[in-house]
Amino acid sequence: MNDVALADLPETARDLADLIGLPATLRLVRQLGGTSFPVAKGRTRMGVARFELLAEVVGEEAAEIITRHYGGEVLYVPRCHAALQRSRDRAIHARFDASIRSGASANQTVAELAREHQLSDRRVWDILKAIPPTVDQPALF
């Protein structure tokens, strides 16, 4: 899921990616996506605890950057569901194609993909039947 297209992300996530990088942003989205996070300035005991939580998710350097930029504000961390789903679907298509080219069974590959992505095999087949999403396709938000 590391091939999430920056253009697919909502504006808030793109802003965060500009500040702290895409990998740290994706960790933040996976851990806190869909929540409002009060970014403390780190001056009180509660502020220090919030900073430590943030640092645990994104790393200390990224937490410091977020605190400098958003300190005292409530930051809504978007879920980025559509972008993550498109990335997952691209990964499923790529892995299926590579497995088939190497001579693996389609049914076995689908079963593995279903377990890996915690999907039903029927859902994996549906994803494979759809036109594979490309990085340059516009996001449907």
Side-chain angles (χ1 to χ4, degrees):
M1 285 249 196
N2 293 331
D3 68 337
V4 173
L6 200 55
D8 283 348
L9 296 173
E11 184 177 351
T12 304
R14 286 193 308 267
D15 292 345
L16 281 167
D18 286 343
L19 284 173
I20 63 172
L22 187 57
T25 299
L26 292 176
R27 286 193 305 274
L28 185 64
V29 164
R30 287 188 179 102
Q31 292 289 319
L32 299 174
T35 65
S36 296
F37 185 81
V39 181
K41 294 181 181 180
R43 296 184 184 143
T44 65
R45 190 175 311 162
M46 179 62 83
V48 170
R50 284 199 175 119
F51 176 83
E52 289 173 358
L53 171 66
L54 191 57
E56 195 174 300
V57 174
V58 297
E60 194 160 327
E61 184 179 338
E64 288 173 4
I65 293 168
I66 290 171
T67 299
R68 277 196 306 272
H69 196 269
Y70 294 103
E73 296 178 29
V74 176
L75 173 65
Y76 176 73
V77 181
R79 287 185 58 226
C80 302
H81 179 74
L84 294 173
Q85 189 173 16
R86 286 168 50 91
S87 173
R88 179 204 65 199
D89 292 355
R90 282 192 297 272
I92 287 172
H93 276 273
R95 171 99 177 276
F96 182 82
D97 291 346
S99 291
I100 297 306
R101 279 195 303 274
S102 70
S105 155
N107 288 334
Q108 181 62 34
T109 300
V110 166
E112 290 171 9
L113 287 166
R115 282 191 305 276
E116 180 181 324
H117 293 279
Q118 298 179 344
L119 299 169
S120 68
D121 58 350
R122 182 174 291 181
R123 179 67 187 123
V124 173
W125 282 116
D126 288 344
I127 290 167
L128 292 170
K129 289 176 187 174
I131 297 171
T134 60
V135 173
D136 59 351
Q137 286 176 332
L140 302 174
F141 291 82

